[in-house]
Amino acid sequence: MPEIKKVYYYEKKPNYTEAQEREIKRQAPHNLASAKLLAMKWKKSVPSVVAKIKQMEIHYISDKTINPPTIRHTREDIVVQIEQATGLTFSKTFERRVALKDLKMLRDYIDKQKQLI
């Protein structure tokens, strides 16, 4: 007996109604906070709302745009900054033995003292 395959047909429903799309357009431009509010209002996930905003080609301001990643300085960079600010020369042993947080604290202290002068 031949095997019978079942075929299922379903109606594809849009994830967002036209009213929701109009509201997204009306509230443009968007950021993470507005996407969270819409997600809570419509009981959807935040990534889904952000994806819909981007799919509709509406301007979305990401956190990376507002807060660019900070520059991380190495021990060597910090020691060079301290040397330039003070005119002193430090050995490699000093650079390796002093804790990174202490080097940063010393650099910040020197910067504040220079501002006072």
Side-chain angles (χ1 to χ4, degrees), residues 43-57:
K43 297 189 178 18
K44 302 214 180 261
S45 69
V46 175
S48 172
V49 174
V50 171
K52 186 63 179 178
I53 291 167
K54 289 182 177 182
Q55 178 198 17
M56 294 173 64
E57 298 179 355

Side-chain angles (χ1 to χ4, degrees), residues 22-76:
R22 280 193 305 271
E23 187 169 351
I24 289 173
K25 284 180 184 176
R26 186 174 47 81
Q27 292 182 3
H30 291 280
N31 59 18
L32 183 60
S34 65
K36 283 182 180 179
L37 288 172
L38 292 173
M40 286 174 32
K41 181 178 180 181
W42 297 330
K43 297 189 178 18
K44 302 214 180 261
S45 69
V46 175
S48 172
V49 174
V50 171
K52 186 63 179 178
I53 291 167
K54 289 182 177 182
Q55 178 198 17
M56 294 173 64
E57 298 179 355
I58 295 173
H59 186 59
Y60 178 78
I61 304 166
S62 67
D63 286 343
K64 292 177 185 173
T65 308
I66 296 169
N67 301 323
T70 57
I71 299 170
R72 295 189 64 186
H73 295 286
T74 62
R75 287 174 179 271
E76 194 173 297

